[in-house]
Amino acid sequence: MPAAFDADASARGFAVWREALAELQDRSLAKRLATATAKNHGALGGKTLLTALFGNSPFLTELCLHEPATVDLLLSSGPDKALASALTALKLAARKAKASDDLAQPLRVAKRQVALSIAVADIAGLWPLEKITAALSDFAALCVDLAFAALLRDAAESGDLVLQDRKTPCKGSGFFALGMGKLGARELNYSSDIDLIVLFDPEVARYTGRRSMLECFIRLTQQMVRLLHDRTEDGYVFRTDLRLRPDPGSFPVAVSTLEAEAYYESFGQNWERAAMIKARPVAGDLEAGARFLKHLTPYIWRKNLDFAAIEDIHSIKRQIHAHRGHADIAVAGHNIKLGRGGIREIEFFAQTQQLIAGGRDTRLRAPATCDALRALVATERLSQAVCDELIADYRYLRTVEHRLQMIDDEQTHTLPADKHGLARLACFLGMPDAGTMSRQMLATLERVKTYYDDLFAEAAPLGSDAGSLVFTGTDDDPDTLETLRDLGFSEPSEIAAMIRGWHFGRYRAMRSERAREKLTAIMPQLLEAFSRTGSADVAFRRFDYFLASLPAGVQLFALLQANPAVMDTLAEVLAAAPQLADALAQNAALFDSLIEYADHPAVFEQAALTASLQRQMAAARDFQDVLDWARRWTTELKLQVGIGLLHGRMDGSAAGAALSLVADAVLADLLRHVSAEFITQHGRIAKSSIALVGLGRLGSRELTLESDLDLVLVFDCPETAGQSDGARPLTPGLYFARLCQRLIAAITAMTGEGRLYEIDMRLRPSGGAGPIAIKLDAYADYQRKEAWTWEHMALTRARVVCGVDGSKEEVALIRRIETLFHDILTMKRDPKKLLANVATMRRRMAEHKKVQGPWDLKQARGGLVDLEFIVQYLLLRHGAAKPAILQQSPLAALAALRDARLLDAAQAKTLIEAGRLYATLLATARLAGRDEAEEPARWPPALAQRLPLLLGDKTMAALTRRLQKTQAAVHALFDTLVDTPAGPYLSLADSLNPDSNPTGQTDGQDR
């Protein structure tokens, strides 16, 4: 017997014991106990026994005081008789109970008696470990079974169920509980919870109630938990955990066998397979439970060697090790269940080998750990010597675990962290001192660790030192929550729950076992990648949204595992670029391009892009494929430009040029395909030709990721041209209008790959009221005679994007359009009226557009509009005298104006630097999405942190100050060059055509 570690506690215990005996009504019992415990009496030694209990365990002290009759039986007859007496009394009380509530007290009394009897058998060394754990497990199973029987009788009395036999209500009821984990294997530890899965067979149960069978069994299960779990003045019976059932976030506490079978066969995880090795029916209809487990045999025990499953399970164990305190061998504060060399490693050592070969060799299907180790010897997979050592180590660690739990009835597995606590535990174990215990503990842990590591010598490294990241099971691992918090996740419990949901197969991408295994393997690196973005929560939730859209996950996870750099890129996109993240979520196939372009970035040159698109289109089977491939190709390249902006490899000007080249290529290809399709129906008009004109940002090659396209379709044909020569002939005007409509539809239609571009054709003559396709002569006549100043300003950015076939008629048309633009831009103008028109138009735009702040990059005074108006005014003002200045790009035009000495060097430098800054800010802000671009407060934190650094500023505040300073300088130049000089001439300004929409109030955001 152990000595009393706390002599004072022992003395107090004896004093209270004597007082309790004095108050006992059974005087014969009191006298007997007083005599037996005043000195050593019987095989156990009364005084020695109580000294050990009172001096080491407050919990066992309380049990002795509550159950003196059990102490008497222990001293007179031993723990076997004491346990048998407690069980007999409980069964008798259960037979007499008229309702389930009548069982509450007998169950709790029996729990006290059984706990005391088993503790004494353990402490005195009278029972081996297997008998101790079996007694604990059998008592727990009996309690659950008695609760089931009582509750089934209650349900029958209320008319909800029909029972085969009310004397044995469980038999044939179809309602049963599986004992899981240590309960199932009859290895329950002293203060253990009991893990149950409660099921009902709808083909066996006979429900006659008014609601539903499911509601009935849910209610019975909840009542069972309360009957066992609730703490009353008599204590509690068992803490009951139902979270090992199939996907506890989706399934109720009682599950139909049909639904459970479907779940395990489709979504069951490897850790659930391992758990099912120990499962057994413990309560209710045991025959129905046995049938259910027999049906699951192919799921649990696979015929083929399942090394992939072992990798998955072992990755879980390695993640546990990654946490500080679990990774190293120690004594003080070491977790002897989860830590290195602990109980779990011995269990995993056996279970993993069982899962590998148990499908082929039924001898390995032993639920108990020690039996499983012996089976490994019998099947020549383990030497007898190693088996003996592991069994001895298992028994030692389980004994230490029991002593830890007996002190205060706590479900703990962690050794004391201080010297006093270690000394107390050593004393309770009957060891001479803490040093002796520590040496034995270290030797045990090292030995187990060595055997376990040898088994998994070929396992890949975990690849993460962030901490514990365990998402198996159903509840939160406290150390995992701490790790997630350290990684920057603000709601770690919510994140852990979402990850468990992935593992339960709630998304299509996670419904294959291999996908779940791969996810387990990459989870530490994935979470660390999210952490490095500085917006871990944002990145994670967007990844969850992305995952929900995936049809399958194996390929994605395998690619991420093989390409860590791509994992970081994906995390950055998810955290900082919602616009790109949404594109990925809506089209998971884009992820392939993320991988491809990591090693083979696109070349943003016209010839290379045209060749790339033609290679894509070669796979098109029909016109629908053309539309889909055009969208996929364009979106892939937009994604690459967005990542270039995010990484600082592209500034706004380079991004604008790249996106414009992409648009040029895809518009040319679509125009060819649309024309070919159109010709098959309507034929051709002799000697006709068409050309697509780009204006706005497309014309100046400054597109952003969210830009609309400003287009005008110009055609030409002989005045004498008749109808087209196809099966369905059309007159020229209708022919080209219909062709233009087809082109617009091809560009804007929403397909399975999304929309290509939004189109804005209101820069055509007469704005929204004009024809959508215009004959060159009419176009030229309009521009020369009717167009307003703002329309000529728009022409400073106009260019021919493409034709169809390169015919001589088309080449001539394009040359004539370019000549027209040159002629218009080099017209002699009244400089006073030009100034008045430009100034008046800018004032009206300012009146129509309420500016919120400096991040309204276009409309804020001194912003893009002011800069562009300066350029466009100067081009129209001096184009006639200096045609070399006519460049579509504002930055190129500013350089030309400087070189022509129409702007002094300082003015040009200010405007060029502002243009470059605005271009990068506008392009990068678009990564946040169209609606959020003007409000940095709504940007993802990762983008707001990254953008200033890309531009050489430390913070958003510093960048904002720089932006405001730049806008002030540009506004001052606008006043100097346009507004102030225009003052005397404002009366000369034209009255603006209300249909022409010159104020910029369009649906398009990039006019």
Side-chain angles (χ1 to χ4, degrees):
M1 284 288 178
F5 178 75
D6 189 338
D8 290 339
S10 178
R12 290 193 300 273
F14 273 105
V16 177
W17 173 252
R18 288 189 291 269
E19 292 174 4
L21 294 183
E23 295 176 1
L24 270 179
Q25 293 184 355
D26 186 341
R27 298 314 302 160
S28 174
L29 172 62
K31 183 176 180 181
R32 208 164 49 245
L33 284 172
T35 300
T37 57
K39 57 183 180 179
N40 285 329
H41 179 77
L44 288 172
K47 184 175 182 180
T48 301
L49 173 63
L50 291 192
T51 299
L53 302 184
F54 294 166
N56 290 287
S57 170
F59 171 66
L60 294 177
T61 300
E62 287 296 318
L63 291 186
C64 290
L65 296 173
H66 275 93
E67 300 298 334
T70 301
V71 176
D72 182 49
L73 267 175
L74 285 166
L75 294 175
S76 62
S77 305
D80 290 274
K81 289 287 182 66
L83 177 62
S85 174
L87 298 180
T88 299
L90 175 60
K91 292 173 184 176
L92 178 61
R95 285 195 295 272
K96 291 180 178 179
K98 294 181 180 180
S100 58
D101 289 344
D102 297 336
L103 261 183
Q105 186 182 39
L107 284 169
R108 284 156 177 77
V109 171
K111 172 64 183 293
R112 295 199 302 260
Q113 296 168 348
V114 168
L116 181 57
S117 302
I118 294 173
V120 169
D122 188 351
I123 293 167
L126 299 177
W127 290 357
L129 175 71
E130 288 82 353
K131 186 172 180 178
I132 293 165
T133 57
L136 289 165
S137 304
D138 291 346
F139 174 65
L142 174 64
C143 292
V144 179
D145 192 55
L146 292 176
F148 264 56
L151 290 164
L152 284 168
R153 276 194 293 267
D154 288 352
E157 289 289 341
S158 67
D160 283 343
L161 293 173
V162 175
L163 302 176
Q164 284 187 9
D165 182 357
R166 293 204 178 192
K167 291 183 179 179
T168 56
C170 292
K171 186 175 182 180
S173 67
F175 185 46
F176 61 93
L178 297 181
M180 304 298 292
K182 289 183 168 60
L183 173 59
R186 299 181 78 227
E187 296 176 320
L188 208 62
N189 59 54
Y190 188 76
S191 294
S192 180
D193 300 351
I194 54 173
D195 292 306
L196 300 173
I197 297 178
V198 179
L199 301 114
F200 64 93
D201 188 338
E203 297 177 351
V204 174
R206 297 173 63 189
Y207 178 71
T208 54
R210 292 179 296 177
R211 294 187 177 180
S212 71
M213 183 182 294
L214 176 61
E215 288 178 288
C216 173
F217 287 119
I218 289 174
R219 186 177 68 256
L220 293 181
T221 303
Q222 291 168 336
Q223 290 171 339
M224 179 270 295
V225 170
R226 286 195 295 269
L227 187 57
L228 300 179
H229 190 102
D230 287 355
R231 189 176 290 273
T232 71
E233 61 183 8
D234 296 303
Y236 72 103
V237 189
F238 284 100
R239 295 177 293 267
T240 305
D241 194 334
L242 303 176
R243 289 173 294 178
L244 287 182
R245 68 186 184 275
D247 191 357
S250 301
F251 284 89
V253 292
V255 183
S256 157
T257 54
L258 301 178
E259 289 187 322
E261 288 165 5
Y263 168 83
Y264 286 120
E265 290 168 1
S266 300
F267 309 125
Q269 300 174 58
N270 285 317
W271 69 266
E272 291 175 297
R273 286 181 58 211
M276 278 292 175
I277 292 176
K278 297 179 179 289
R280 69 182 172 100
V282 294
D285 189 342
L286 301 183
E287 291 182 3
R291 286 195 301 271
F292 175 77
L293 285 180
K294 184 177 180 180
H295 187 88
L296 289 189
T297 298
Y299 158 70
I300 305 168
W301 305 108
R302 298 182 179 174
K303 294 298 182 184
N304 300 320
L305 297 178
D306 196 4
F307 290 98
I310 304 315
E311 180 186 350
D312 182 41
I313 291 173
H314 182 56
S315 68
I316 297 166
K317 188 71 178 80
R318 286 180 289 128
Q319 288 170 14
I320 295 172
H321 294 167
H323 178 61
R324 60 182 182 276
H326 291 173
D328 302 320
I329 296 294
V331 174
H334 194 70
N335 188 311
I336 59 171
K337 177 181 178 181
L338 300 179
R340 294 308 323 264
I343 296 166
R344 184 58 58 83
E345 286 196 353
I346 301 174
E347 293 172 339
F348 272 32
F349 183 94
Q351 285 177 323
T352 49
Q353 295 183 82
Q354 288 177 287
L355 284 180
I356 290 173
R360 299 162 65 91
D361 193 333
T362 57
R363 291 176 294 173
L364 289 170
R365 300 180 184 181
T369 301
C370 294
D371 289 344
L373 291 170
R374 296 185 186 101
L376 291 172
V377 174
T379 57
E380 299 182 350
R381 289 176 170 82
L382 186 66
S383 72
Q384 187 65 57
V386 173
C387 174
D388 291 343
E389 286 190 326
L390 286 175
I391 288 176
D393 292 338
Y394 180 77
R395 286 173 172 163
Y396 170 68
L397 292 170
R398 290 300 307 274
T399 299
V400 174
E401 176 187 49
H402 286 177
R403 290 296 190 283
L404 279 169
Q405 295 176 352
M406 285 177 188
I407 294 172
D408 284 309
D409 190 31
E410 290 180 335
Q411 175 69 341
T412 181
H413 312 280
T414 303
L415 298 173
D418 61 324
K419 293 180 180 179
H420 181 272
L422 289 172
R424 175 178 183 168
L425 178 61
C427 178
F428 201 13
L429 285 163
M431 305 189 81
D433 53 52
T436 303
M437 182 191 73
S438 296
R439 286 189 292 274
Q440 182 174 353
M441 178 62 69
L442 285 172
T444 299
L445 298 173
E446 289 284 0
R447 188 162 47 246
V448 172
K449 174 182 178 294
T450 298
Y451 289 135
Y452 182 85
D453 287 346
D454 288 346
L455 181 65
F456 294 102
E458 301 301 319
L462 180 62
S464 169
D465 57 1
S468 179
L469 290 170
V470 182
F471 303 103
T472 57
T474 57
D475 53 352
D476 289 336
D477 169 51
D479 294 333
T480 295
L481 298 186
E482 181 183 344
T483 301
L484 290 172
R485 198 173 287 107
D486 291 343
L487 286 172
F489 293 96
S490 61
E491 298 291 341
S493 184
E494 182 181 341
I495 298 298
M498 292 170 75
I499 294 174
R500 287 197 298 273
W502 298 346
H503 283 289
F504 282 121
R506 293 176 189 167
Y507 295 153
R508 282 182 304 166
M510 301 306 302
R511 289 178 184 169
S512 82
E513 181 179 6
R514 192 64 182 141
R516 296 191 291 271
E517 291 166 358
K518 283 290 184 186
L519 180 62
T520 298
I522 68 168
M523 186 56 66
Q525 294 91 333
L526 191 62
L527 292 173
E528 286 185 327
F530 294 156
S531 176
R532 285 191 290 272
T533 68
S535 299
D537 292 294
V538 173
F540 180 90
R541 284 181 169 80
R542 288 195 173 274
F543 183 77
D544 178 71
Y545 179 51
F546 171 57
L547 204 59
S549 70
L550 282 178
V554 175
Q555 184 181 16
L556 166 67
F557 301 144
L559 288 171
L560 289 176
Q561 190 174 29
N563 298 273
V566 174
M567 191 185 299
D568 283 333
T569 297
L570 175 63
E572 290 171 349
V573 167
L574 295 172
Q579 200 265 356
L580 302 181
D582 287 344
L584 279 173
Q586 291 162 13
N587 188 347
L590 288 174
F591 191 80
D592 294 341
S593 68
L594 205 63
I595 301 288
E596 179 183 350
Y597 291 140
D599 297 322
H600 305 288
V603 178
F604 289 100
E605 297 175 356
Q606 186 174 12
L609 290 173
T610 300
S612 169
L613 181 57
Q614 288 176 349
R615 286 193 299 272
Q616 291 270 21
M617 289 302 184
R621 297 161 298 181
D622 52 29
F623 189 66
Q624 184 60 49
D625 275 356
V626 168
L627 299 183
D628 286 337
W629 280 109
R631 283 152 176 76
R632 181 177 301 179
W633 180 83
T634 303
T635 308
E636 287 176 353
L637 289 165
K638 281 185 174 183
L639 179 64
Q640 190 170 4
V641 171
I643 293 171
L645 284 167
L646 202 58
H647 287 170
R649 293 196 297 264
M650 283 184 172
D651 63 9
S653 297
L659 291 170
S660 300
L661 284 169
V662 170
D664 286 358
V666 77
L667 288 172
D669 196 79
L670 273 182
L671 183 57
R672 283 192 296 273
H673 280 97
V674 168
S675 296
E677 283 281 311
F678 194 77
I679 287 169
T680 62
Q681 297 174 1
H682 302 288
R684 301 175 185 271
I685 292 179
K687 297 183 179 180
S688 65
S689 56
I690 59 174
L692 198 61
V693 173
L695 299 105
R697 291 189 166 274
L698 174 63
S700 59
R701 296 181 176 86
E702 296 177 294
L703 291 181
T704 71
L705 292 169
E706 293 281 353
S707 288
D708 299 343
L709 301 185
D710 291 298
L711 297 173
V712 174
L713 186 71
V714 180
F715 70 90
D716 196 23
C717 61
E719 291 294 335
T720 58
Q723 291 185 323
S724 59
D725 58 9
R728 296 163 60 187
L730 296 171
T731 59
L734 189 57
Y735 182 94
F736 291 109
R738 294 265 182 93
L739 176 59
C740 187
Q741 288 172 338
R742 293 277 186 93
L743 177 63
I744 293 170
I747 297 170
T748 60
M750 181 66 76
T751 76
E753 297 288 337
R755 182 178 282 108
L756 188 57
Y757 294 102
E758 294 282 2
I759 298 295
D760 193 333
M761 303 194 75
R762 284 176 289 181
L763 287 180
R764 67 185 187 269
S766 300
I772 58 175
I774 186 165
K775 197 167 186 292
L776 176 60
D777 290 345
Y779 189 42
D781 194 55
Y782 177 86
Q783 291 293 349
R784 290 190 173 104
K785 297 177 181 178
E786 300 180 45
W788 300 76
T789 298
W790 73 266
E791 292 175 286
H792 286 176
M793 291 170 69
L795 287 186
T796 63
R797 303 164 81 177
R799 63 184 176 90
V800 178
V801 173
C802 61
V804 177
D805 53 16
S807 65
K808 62 179 182 179
E809 289 86 4
E810 184 180 282
V811 171
L813 172 64
I814 291 173
R815 188 180 300 117
R816 290 173 64 196
I817 294 172
E818 291 173 342
T819 300
L820 169 65
F821 292 162
H822 183 272
D823 290 347
I824 296 299
L825 298 179
T826 56
M827 288 171 50
K828 290 188 175 180
R829 304 173 188 275
D830 179 349
K832 299 175 182 178
K833 186 174 182 181
L834 175 64
L835 263 176
N837 283 339
V838 173
T840 299
M841 184 164 31
R842 182 64 185 100
R843 293 182 182 190
R844 292 197 179 185
M845 290 179 72
E847 291 170 2
H848 279 83
K849 175 71 174 178
K850 185 177 181 181
V851 176
Q852 299 296 327
W855 284 93
D856 186 346
L857 296 170
K858 294 181 180 180
Q859 300 293 343
R861 292 318 307 253
L864 269 169
V865 171
D866 279 351
L867 186 149
E868 290 167 355
F869 271 38
I870 291 171
V871 173
Q872 291 163 7
Y873 160 68
L874 292 173
L875 293 181
L876 294 182
R877 173 71 178 82
H878 301 291
K882 303 278 188 178
I885 65 175
L886 297 174
Q887 306 289 327
Q888 284 113 4
S889 163
L891 294 182
L894 285 167
L897 288 164
R898 177 198 60 205
D899 295 343
R901 299 187 177 182
L902 299 172
L903 271 176
D904 69 39
Q907 291 173 330
K909 180 181 179 182
T910 297
L911 293 172
I912 289 172
E913 289 179 353
R916 288 174 178 159
L917 175 64
Y918 295 164
T920 299
L921 292 180
L922 186 67
T924 310
R926 286 287 185 260
L927 295 173
R930 174 173 288 187
D931 294 336
E932 289 78 15
E934 296 178 3
E935 299 182 54
R938 297 174 62 189
W939 294 1
L943 180 60
Q945 293 164 11
R946 183 180 296 262
L947 180 55
L949 300 178
L950 293 176
L951 289 162
D953 292 289
K954 293 183 178 180
T955 64
M956 276 296 292
L959 178 57
T960 301
R961 288 193 295 271
R962 177 180 165 192
L963 172 61
Q964 291 171 317
K965 183 178 179 181
T966 300
Q967 288 171 337
V970 172
H971 190 201
L973 283 175
F974 184 83
D975 282 342
T976 299
L977 297 171
V978 179
D979 219 21
T980 299
Y985 314 118
L986 292 179
S987 61
L988 301 176
D990 294 328
S991 298
L992 292 172
N993 178 355
D995 292 329
S996 62
N997 200 26
T999 62
Q1001 300 301 301
T1002 70
D1003 293 334
Q1005 296 296 303
D1006 282 308
R1007 285 289 303 278

